[in-house]
């Protein structure tokens, strides 16, 4: 390897599977230094992005607690099902944690630990960093990379309940009526640059956000759906909020169910109560209202894992499992199929051309009680602290 030109060595190593790269770091000190070079890390990551995404699964069951798996989809043309090839990952030294999001191969984990509450973890290099404790209430989290400063940032929108006392002027028999209480919430935004030790308060914000099941990071901006059905973005560089133009269906009785990233494009999943179909609208050109197009419609389906005759069901009514709000859109595959998750338990691939559904088999020790799935591009990335 030492005799090869650097560019040739980069081309060879950037094509290796990530696990092979990690193992190659142990060959010698020179190899370790070369494999950790940011030029190779970036080149390898770019190749990984061009392929079908991989996934990090957090599976919790009656006997399984906080186990992480790295998953890739594999399909057999002679079989109606799709298999998730899953590899058990080494978890950080934490008694318990919750998988929040993924960015550039790094995981943001929430952990009830005496000295910290959040940490960032690379499940392949097994490196992790503890983030400073926050003095504000826990809230809606976002994790992303600022391309201008090359720094990772964690954003949190928290809701602080405040109680207002007021006296009514009405006089009762034994004097003034006791004070009444009303509860309200003030919305505050805090941000942490990961290389820093201090959370910064960006002030109050006039909107409440809906908790996202998956992170929506597009064009260096985090996105959330507000309770008013607005789409709001947060620019990680300028640290400013901005309203993103919505699709035209907002004018009808349809509403946004969730936001998702499909092949790098901001997308909105919508439904109405009178229609069984989910619609997915894709913004082909970011921040251009006219570029929104309705690209997918998904009908009702009940995965085998949730059908009444399956051994692990919580209701005998199939309609309970097919309710639209229990469906999460995860990603768009290179085949054109959509990966969906039902009730945090079952994974399904939907073919929009044939309008067919294929259940995904997830191998694990027991039937999942709860399944958290995030789209993940594995890498050797790490954070300079």
């Amino acid at each position: 390897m030492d005799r090869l030109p650097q560019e040739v060595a980069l081309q060879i190593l950037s094509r290796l599977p990530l696990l092979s790269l990690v193992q190659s770091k142990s060959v010698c000190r020179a190899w370790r230094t070369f494999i950790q070079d940011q030029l190779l890390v970036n080149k390898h990551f770019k190749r990984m992005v061009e392929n079908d995404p991989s996934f990090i699964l957090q599976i919790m069951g009656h006997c399984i607690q906080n186990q992480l798996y790295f998953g890739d989809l594999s399909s057999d043309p002679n079989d109606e099902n799709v298999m998730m090839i899953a590899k058990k990952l080494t978890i950080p030294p934490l008694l318990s944690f919750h998988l929040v999001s993924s960015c550039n191969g790094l995981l943001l984990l929430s952990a009830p630990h005496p000295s910290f509450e959040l940490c960032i973890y690379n499940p392949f290099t097994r490196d992790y960093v503890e983030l400073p404790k926050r003095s504000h209430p826990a809230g809606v989290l976002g994790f992303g990379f600022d391309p201008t400063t090359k720094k990772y940032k964690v954003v949190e929108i928290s809701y602080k309940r405040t109680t207002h006392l007021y006296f009514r002027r009405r006089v009762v028999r034994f004097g003034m009526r006791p004070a009444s209480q009303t509860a309200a919430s003030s919305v505050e935004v805090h941000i942490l640059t990961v290389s820093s030790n201090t959370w910064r308060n960006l002030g109050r914000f006039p909107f409440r956000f809906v908790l996202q099941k998956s992170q929506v990071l597009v064009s260096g901006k985090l996105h959330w759906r507000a309770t008013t059905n607005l789409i709001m973005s947060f620019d990680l560089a300028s640290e400013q909020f901005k309203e993103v133009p919505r699709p035209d269906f907002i004018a009808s009785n349809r509403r946004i169910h969730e936001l998702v990233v499909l092949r790098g494009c901001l997308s909105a999943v919508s439904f109405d109560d009178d229609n069984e179909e989910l619609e997915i609208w894709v913004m082909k050109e970011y921040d251009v209202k006219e570029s929104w197009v309705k690209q997918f419609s998904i009908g009702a389906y009940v995965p085998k894992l949730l059908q009444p005759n399956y051994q692990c069901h919580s209701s005998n009514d199939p309609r309970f499992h097919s309710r639209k709000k229990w469906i999460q859109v995860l990603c768009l595959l290179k085949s054109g199929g959509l990966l969906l998750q039902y009730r945090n338990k079952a994974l399904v691939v939907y073919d929009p051309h044939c309008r067919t559904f294929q259940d995904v088999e997830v191998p694990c020790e027991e039937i999942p009680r709860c399944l958290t799935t995030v789209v993940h591009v594995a890498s050797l990335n790490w954070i300079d602290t």
Side-chain angles (χ1 to χ4, degrees):
M1 185 69 71
D2 295 338
R3 298 179 180 179
L4 292 175
Q6 184 184 32
E7 183 59 33
V8 175
L10 281 173
Q11 290 292 338
I12 294 172
L13 292 176
S14 66
R15 287 172 165 79
L16 289 178
L18 185 67
L19 289 176
S20 299
L21 267 184
V22 172
Q23 293 167 355
S24 300
K25 290 168 60 179
S26 304
V27 173
C28 64
R29 184 176 297 177
W31 278 41
R32 181 180 181 86
T33 301
F34 188 71
I35 290 172
Q36 289 179 326
D37 186 272
Q38 196 60 43
L39 189 62
L40 174 61
V41 171
N42 293 340
K43 197 173 190 67
H44 186 272
F45 183 77
K46 185 178 179 181
R47 290 192 184 279
M48 295 289 288
V49 170
E50 293 170 352
N51 299 325
D52 262 340
S54 300
F55 309 92
I56 296 291
L57 299 90
Q58 182 179 14
I59 296 177
M60 290 178 285
H62 298 289
C63 300
I64 306 173
Q65 293 295 329
N66 293 321
Q67 181 59 59
L68 290 180
Y69 289 83
F70 176 71
D72 278 310
L73 290 179
S74 176
S75 59
D76 185 345
N78 300 318
D79 191 350
E80 64 178 5
N81 291 334
V82 180
M83 175 70 74
M84 175 75 75
I85 300 176
K87 172 182 172 55
K88 187 182 291 188
L89 296 171
T90 302
I91 61 174
L94 302 170
L95 292 177
S96 64
F97 60 87
H98 172 66
L99 176 59
V100 178
S101 61
S102 169
C103 177
N104 292 354
L106 304 175
L107 302 178
L108 177 64
L109 305 177
S110 163
H113 193 274
S115 61
F116 65 93
E117 298 162 318
L118 298 168
C119 72
I120 294 173
Y121 179 58
N122 187 321
F124 289 93
T125 64
R126 303 180 187 177
D127 297 317
Y128 81 101
V129 60
E130 302 167 1
L131 302 184
K133 293 195 75 168
R134 46 208 168 168
S135 58
H136 55 274
V140 178
L141 287 162
F143 174 47
F145 181 71
D146 179 358
T148 59
T149 62
K150 310 297 183 185
K151 298 290 185 181
Y152 288 89
K153 295 181 178 180
V154 178
V155 183
E156 186 160 34
I157 295 95
S158 59
Y159 307 104
K160 184 177 181 180
R161 294 188 65 82
T162 57
T163 302
H164 301 280
L165 298 177
Y166 66 92
F167 289 91
R168 295 182 181 177
R169 292 187 176 274
R170 179 182 173 187
V171 178
V172 294
R173 183 176 178 181
F174 298 105
M176 183 171 286
R177 188 182 181 95
S180 298
Q181 296 185 353
T182 59
S185 296
S186 61
V187 182
E188 289 188 340
V189 181
H190 296 81
I191 189 167
L192 173 73
T193 302
V194 174
S195 57
S196 166
N197 290 320
T198 307
W199 286 88
R200 291 180 286 121
N201 189 340
L202 300 184
R204 296 191 175 184
F205 189 68
F207 298 102
R208 291 180 65 90
F209 289 157
V210 178
L211 181 65
Q212 289 276 143
K213 291 183 179 179
S214 61
Q215 178 160 288
V216 183
L217 179 61
V218 181
S219 297
K221 302 175 181 65
L222 292 165
H223 297 77
W224 290 277
R225 174 172 63 93
T227 53
T228 52
N229 221 24
L230 296 176
I231 300 175
M232 302 299 299
S233 70
F234 179 81
D235 192 317
L236 289 166
S238 66
E239 299 183 355
Q240 297 291 323
F241 282 97
K242 179 186 175 183
E243 183 180 348
V244 178
R246 301 171 294 174
D248 287 332
F249 70 74
I250 296 298
S252 66
N253 61 342
R254 301 189 71 86
R255 58 183 180 274
I256 299 175
H257 169 53
E258 67 169 334
L259 300 175
V260 66
V261 183
L262 298 181
R263 287 289 167 187
C265 295
L266 178 65
S267 305
V269 182
S270 74
F271 65 85
D272 62 41
D273 294 329
D274 301 325
N275 193 326
E276 284 298 322
E277 286 195 331
L278 278 177
E279 291 182 357
I280 302 179
W281 291 66
V282 178
M283 184 181 256
K284 296 292 187 178
E285 185 177 350
Y286 184 74
D287 210 24
V288 177
K289 179 178 176 61
E290 294 74 22
S291 70
W292 281 107
V293 294
K294 184 174 77 170
Q295 192 159 340
F296 305 101
S297 294
I298 305 174
Y301 178 72
V302 181
K304 293 177 182 178
L305 185 63
L306 301 178
Q307 290 177 7
N309 60 346
Y310 203 84
Q311 58 178 316
C312 180
H313 62 274
S314 57
S315 170
N316 288 327
D317 185 358
R319 292 173 298 176
F320 177 73
H321 301 296
S322 62
R323 287 165 61 179
K324 295 180 287 293
K325 69 178 182 179
W326 296 116
I327 303 173
Q328 179 188 358
V329 179
L330 291 175
C331 67
L332 177 63
L333 304 173
K334 290 183 71 175
S335 65
L338 287 163
L339 183 64
L340 313 174
Q341 182 167 284
Y342 287 71
R343 284 190 57 80
N344 294 332
K345 288 187 178 182
L347 295 175
V348 173
V349 173
Y350 172 69
D351 185 336
H353 304 292
C354 304
R355 298 184 68 86
T356 55
F357 297 84
Q358 289 181 296
D359 288 47
V360 178
E361 297 180 10
V362 181
C364 61
E365 290 92 338
E366 64 171 276
I367 297 168
R369 179 169 52 86
C370 181
L371 179 66
T372 301
T373 308
V374 299
V375 177
H376 182 79
V377 181
S379 80
L380 293 172
N381 271 321
W382 190 233
I383 299 171
D384 295 325
T385 56

